[in-house]
Amino acid sequence: MEKLKYTYGFLEGEVILSLDREVFTEEMAQEILNFHEDFGAFRDNEDDVLNACKKIAYTAFYVASTKSYNTEGVKREFAEELEGFPPLDGSVGITLNYVEGYEFDPFEFELYEE
């Protein structure tokens, strides 16, 4: 079992996946990438399993950030709402262990008049 840790920005967000390559195959990864082929930026590695994991991690981070979901909420979103993605409960060889999205803080905005 591989652990994959993705960070976004300067440690602003984090996604941790567990990957079992015996279950989550290259063919499964290619199906995900082909379904979401408009995301060419995720084909930056010769290993399509890692490319698919990067796409999954990015989407998990996006869901956590935009919907203020915790790890379980993101897992539920993948299982019930997101077309073209596998469930992240380990049943297909990939598990979402942790996700922390970026939280926008209204106190971080400052007005500068010119």
Side-chain angles (χ1 to χ4, degrees):
M1 185 79 62
E2 291 178 56
K3 287 272 191 198
L4 304 173
K5 181 177 179 180
Y6 296 89
T7 58
Y8 189 82
F10 184 69
L11 302 177
E12 298 288 350
E14 182 175 81
V15 178
I16 300 174
L17 301 172
S18 292
L19 173 65
D20 182 346
R21 287 181 182 259
E22 291 181 18
V23 180
F24 189 76
T25 64
E26 187 84 15
E27 292 78 26
M28 294 169 77
Q30 287 174 358
E31 285 180 30
I32 292 166
L33 293 169
N34 289 338
F35 188 89
H36 301 283
E37 64 182 65
D38 57 326
F39 292 98
F42 296 95
R43 289 187 185 256
D44 63 352
N45 192 310
E46 289 192 21
D47 184 343
D48 276 344
V49 170
L50 292 180
N51 290 334
C53 287
K54 183 178 178 183
K55 173 63 182 149
I56 290 166
Y58 175 83
T59 304
F61 174 78
Y62 180 81
V63 168
S65 296
T66 59
K67 297 191 175 191
S68 296
Y69 283 176
N70 63 13
T71 302
E72 291 306 312
V74 173
K75 281 183 175 181
R76 191 171 37 258
E77 186 82 4
F78 270 79
E80 299 172 2
E81 302 293 328
L82 294 177
E83 188 176 4
F85 286 103
L88 300 181
D89 60 1
S91 61
V92 296
I94 190 162
T95 305
L96 177 63
N97 297 321
Y98 178 77
V99 60
E100 181 179 341
Y102 182 80
E103 293 188 28
F104 295 97
D105 185 350
F107 296 107
E108 293 293 321
F109 287 97
E110 294 186 34
L111 173 64
Y112 295 97
E113 294 185 36
E114 292 184 18

